[in-house]
């Protein structure tokens, strides 16, 4: 039952012997006064009556039901009070008081559930957040794409190699990456395996969170070699150096505060993943103690993808009935009307902190596609958190057939997204990256040349930023945030 318990939150035993989290007094009061999100005609399995183009084609439905029943009986991976804590922080970010940093693997694999891999991801997110705090002068909410990002949508259900057609790789939650009939067969037992690996990851994340900034208090010792590249303008290099000095001074001051500094060094990480496999998501959906609310307790913040946000689809049906904060990916094909209809369906009561709109337009399309969305949501008076995903709209293929992303395009989409918000009078409240703390070579630029791609191209799906590239982006964003103060 340990996975139900939030760090620093007291627990008690309910009358049915289930371990439940006792929230702080302020959050108990919030839970009593918060409007219920319960909606008519909804249940954790009502999604089964809706179309799902990403549905997994299992060949043994009875085996799926057996696995789902086992997961239903297991402790939830996160607590409803952790979810509510994130919702409150997002509500604050919607008012411009916080900035949200979301990042992690394109698709987790169970083989990468290792201490060093997890630590590297947490450390790069923490380093990035510290840089953004210095730049924006506001707290940063850290949301990882981990402890559940085991499923991936695909544009085609099957893949052909050498005249052989097999099911596509849909992530470790569904099947294996090896191109063999055995590996590519969707196996429901993988849901149970991914639940177990998510639990182990969460346990480790919580342990790391308690350790805080112990290894990160000397930014001058970080790998900042990107700031010495010859192609960087002098003004940018000087900004990097100034930010690093400010960060070192701030952390040194915190350290000198002694006991207060130790408390400040406790950091929060929240989890997120695309709510893709609804058998898995609904198996961990339940009501919270003392609340007439349903929560998807596989993660703190599930999101709708570009391929799963159909208004009449299974995924919107499932997410409309849960009380978690919800991310919604918006690509260049979405219309302003579609956005308003999604908001009406997923947040009809205008609950603060409920909706995170994640734009992923592509650097060449931001100027034309983003402003109409910003304008219509602003005119409608809807309270949302806008964040930018500059990764998914900027995927290219090299002449040798390697899928990659170009660092300059990623940065350009961020800059143009800031410009669009400034022109509209709205604010960009966060960023969303596919990244790793490892020294991979999957994205071009930021010190990686096209000929370097084959050196450490390790992703099974989409290319990720490495640690140096991700950190460089955080410094660039910090410069923009500082300019807006």
């Amino acid at each position: 039952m340990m996975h139900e318990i939030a760090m620093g939150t007291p627990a008690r035993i309910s009358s049915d012997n289930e371990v439940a989290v006792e929230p702080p007094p302020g959050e108990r009061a919030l839970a009593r006064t918060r409007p219920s999100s319960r909606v008519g005609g909804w249940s954790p399995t009502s999604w089964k009556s809706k179309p799902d183009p990403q549905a997994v084609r299992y060949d043994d439905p009875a085996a799926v039901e057996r696995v789902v029943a086992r997961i239903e009986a297991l402790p939830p991976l996160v607590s409803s009070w952790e979810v509510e804590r994130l919702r409150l922080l997002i509500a604050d970010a919607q008012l411009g008081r916080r900035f949200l940093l979301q990042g992690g693997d394109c698709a987790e694999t169970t083989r990468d559930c290792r201490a060093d891999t997890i630590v590297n991801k947490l450390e790069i997110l923490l380093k990035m957040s510290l840089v953004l705090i210095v730049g924006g002068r506001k707290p940063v909410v850290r949301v990882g794409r981990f402890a559940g990002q085991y499923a991936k949508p695909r544009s085609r259900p099957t893949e052909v190699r050498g005249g052989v057609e097999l099911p596509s790789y849909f992530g470790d939650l569904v099947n294996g990456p090896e191109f063999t009939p055995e590996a590519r067969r969707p196996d429901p037992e993988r849901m149970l395996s991914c639940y177990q690996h998510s639990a182990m990851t969460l346990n480790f994340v919580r342990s790391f969170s308690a350790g805080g900034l112990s290894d990160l208090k000397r930014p001058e010792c970080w790998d900042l070699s990107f700031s010495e590249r010859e192609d960087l303008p002098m003004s940018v290099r000087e900004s990097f150096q100034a930010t690093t000095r400010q960060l070192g001074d701030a952390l040194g001051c915190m350290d000198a505060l002694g006991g207060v500094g130790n408390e400040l060094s406790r950091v929060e990480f929240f989890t997120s993943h695309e709510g893709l496999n609804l058998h898995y998501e609904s198996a961990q959906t339940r009501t919270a103690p003392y609340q007439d609310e349903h929560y998807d307790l596989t993660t703190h913040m599930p999101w709708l993808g570009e391929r799963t946000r159909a208004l009449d689809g299974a995924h919107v049906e499932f997410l409309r009935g849960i009380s978690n904060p919800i991310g919604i990916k918006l690509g260049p094909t979405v219309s302003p009307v579609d956005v308003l209809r999604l908001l009406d369906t997923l947040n009809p009561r205008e609950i603060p902190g409920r909706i995170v709109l994640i734009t992923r337009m592509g650097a060449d399309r931001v100027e034309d596609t983003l402003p109409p969305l910003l304008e219509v949501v602003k005119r409608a008076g809807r309270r949302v958190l806008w964040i930018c995903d500059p990764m998914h709209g900027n995927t290219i293929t090299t002449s040798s057939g390697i899928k990659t992303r170009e660092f300059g395009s990623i940065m350009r989409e961020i800059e143009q997204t800031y410009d669009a918000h400034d022109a509209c009078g709205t604010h960009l409240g966060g960023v969303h990256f596919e990244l790793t703390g490892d020294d991979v070579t999957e994205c071009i630029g930021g010190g990686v040349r096209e000929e370097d791609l084959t050196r450490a191209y390790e992703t099974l799906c989409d290319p990720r930023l490495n640690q140096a590239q991700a950190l460089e982006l955080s410094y660039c964003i910090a410069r923009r945030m500082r300019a807006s103060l």
Side-chain angles (χ1 to χ4, degrees):
M1 291 289 183
M2 65 190 298
H3 310 304
E4 170 75 10
I5 301 173
M7 287 187 306
T9 305
R12 55 176 183 75
I13 308 296
S14 64
S15 58
D16 58 358
N17 292 323
E18 180 182 2
V19 177
V21 173
E22 186 69 22
E27 293 191 18
R28 284 202 299 270
L30 175 73
R32 288 195 296 270
T33 59
R34 189 161 98 78
S36 173
S37 65
R38 183 71 62 84
V39 289
W42 183 90
S43 76
T45 57
S46 60
W47 58 269
K48 293 183 178 181
S49 65
K50 302 290 185 177
D52 179 4
Q54 292 289 324
V56 180
R57 300 174 182 177
Y58 293 109
D59 56 18
D60 186 351
V64 175
E65 293 304 316
R66 287 194 297 270
V67 170
V68 166
R70 290 163 67 188
I71 296 175
E72 285 175 343
L74 292 169
L77 291 171
V78 302
S79 76
S80 60
W81 300 110
E82 290 173 327
V83 172
E84 281 299 302
R85 168 68 175 163
L86 177 59
R87 187 185 66 79
L88 289 173
L89 296 177
I90 292 174
D92 225 21
Q94 289 173 337
L95 297 174
R97 298 170 181 162
R98 295 179 186 271
F99 192 84
L100 188 145
L101 171 64
Q102 185 177 11
D105 275 315
C106 164
E108 288 180 282
T109 62
T110 55
R111 74 182 185 190
D112 282 333
C113 184
R114 303 192 309 266
D116 57 342
T117 300
I118 298 170
V119 165
N120 287 344
K121 283 188 284 190
L122 295 176
E123 284 196 349
I124 186 56
L125 286 174
L126 185 50
K127 288 177 182 178
M128 293 174 73
S129 70
L130 294 175
V131 172
L132 296 174
I133 288 168
V134 170
R137 301 291 196 273
K138 64 180 66 172
V140 170
V141 185
R142 305 169 192 89
V143 180
R145 288 174 57 115
F146 48 57
Q149 183 58 11
Y150 287 111
K152 286 294 293 181
R154 305 313 295 257
S155 56
R156 297 181 181 86
T158 61
E159 177 184 358
V160 178
R161 295 187 192 177
V164 177
E165 184 175 16
L166 294 175
S168 295
Y169 172 57
F170 284 88
D172 278 13
L173 192 72
V174 177
N175 55 5
E178 300 82 9
F179 195 73
T180 65
E182 296 76 20
R184 291 298 178 91
R185 172 184 172 272
D187 181 1
E189 288 289 331
R190 285 177 168 271
M191 288 190 283
L192 187 60
S193 173
C194 288
Y195 165 91
Q196 294 164 341
H197 283 82
S198 294
M200 289 185 281
T201 300
L202 273 166
N203 282 344
F204 193 81
V205 169
R206 286 169 174 148
S207 297
F208 180 91
S209 299
L213 308 180
S214 57
D215 295 328
L216 301 172
K217 290 184 177 177
R218 297 183 62 196
E220 71 275 11
C221 296
W222 298 357
D223 180 6
L224 300 176
S225 56
F226 60 81
S227 65
E228 300 300 325
R229 289 207 323 269
E230 293 183 359
D231 61 329
L232 286 181
M234 181 57 68
S235 61
V236 175
R237 182 177 293 110
E238 291 174 348
S239 176
F240 288 160
Q241 294 168 348
T243 302
T244 301
R245 287 194 298 271
Q246 288 179 280
L247 183 54
D249 291 345
L251 293 175
C253 180
M254 180 189 296
D255 201 33
L257 291 174
V260 176
N262 290 336
E263 286 300 313
L264 289 174
S265 70
R266 294 177 63 87
V267 297
E268 290 180 293
F269 287 95
F270 297 94
T271 68
S272 66
H273 64 246
E274 183 169 358
L276 191 63
N277 188 321
L278 296 179
H279 294 289
Y280 180 76
E281 305 300 326
S282 60
Q284 283 266 297
T285 298
R286 57 197 70 184
T287 55
Y290 308 114
Q291 297 185 55
D292 189 28
E293 305 272 344
H294 280 89
Y295 292 86
D296 177 359
L297 298 180
T298 67
T299 187
H300 299 108
M301 189 180 85
W303 76 76
L304 281 170
E306 182 76 349
R307 298 183 179 94
T308 55
R309 57 173 166 76
L311 279 165
D312 62 347
H315 294 83
V316 170
E317 170 63 22
F318 173 71
L319 291 177
R320 77 183 180 97
I322 60 173
S323 295
N324 304 58
I326 295 171
I328 307 173
K329 289 287 191 82
L330 301 177
T333 62
V334 70
S335 72
V337 172
D338 289 338
V339 174
L340 290 183
R341 287 175 177 170
L342 282 167
L343 296 179
D344 289 341
T345 301
L346 295 171
N347 195 24
R349 295 176 177 85
E350 278 293 281
I351 298 171
R354 164 76 167 166
I355 299 294
V356 178
L357 295 181
I358 308 169
T359 61
R360 37 150 296 176
M361 302 299 175
D364 294 334
R365 305 186 69 175
V366 175
E367 291 182 337
D368 295 329
T369 57
L370 182 56
L373 305 184
L374 301 180
E375 290 288 350
V376 74
V377 173
K378 179 183 176 181
R379 286 200 305 269
R382 307 307 292 262
R383 185 167 165 179
V384 303
L385 178 64
W386 291 99
I387 76 175
C388 174
D389 168 5
M391 306 293 292
H392 285 86
N394 293 304
T395 303
I396 60 174
T397 302
T398 67
S399 57
S400 58
I402 300 176
K403 183 163 65 170
T404 188
R405 288 157 174 162
E406 206 277 317
F407 186 89
S409 297
I410 293 169
M411 192 63 238
R412 189 155 49 93
E413 177 158 356
I414 295 172
E415 289 285 357
Q416 291 178 347
T417 300
Y418 265 115
D419 291 342
H421 280 282
D422 288 348
C424 184
T426 53
H427 71 273
L428 180 61
V431 286
H432 177 124
F433 295 121
E434 288 186 341
L435 56 80
T436 175
D438 301 326
D439 186 26
V440 300
T441 54
E442 298 170 1
C443 294
I444 298 171
V448 177
R449 302 165 300 175
E450 182 173 337
E451 54 266 34
D452 296 326
L453 290 177
T454 56
R455 177 172 62 82
Y457 194 96
E458 299 175 4
T459 183
L460 294 175
C461 291
D462 292 335
R464 304 160 296 172
L465 299 166
N466 62 30
Q467 180 164 174
Q469 291 168 327
L471 195 56
E472 181 174 350
L473 276 176
S474 69
Y475 273 83
C476 293
I477 296 167
R479 290 180 69 236
R480 181 68 188 239
M481 295 172 74
R482 187 181 302 111
S484 300
L485 293 176

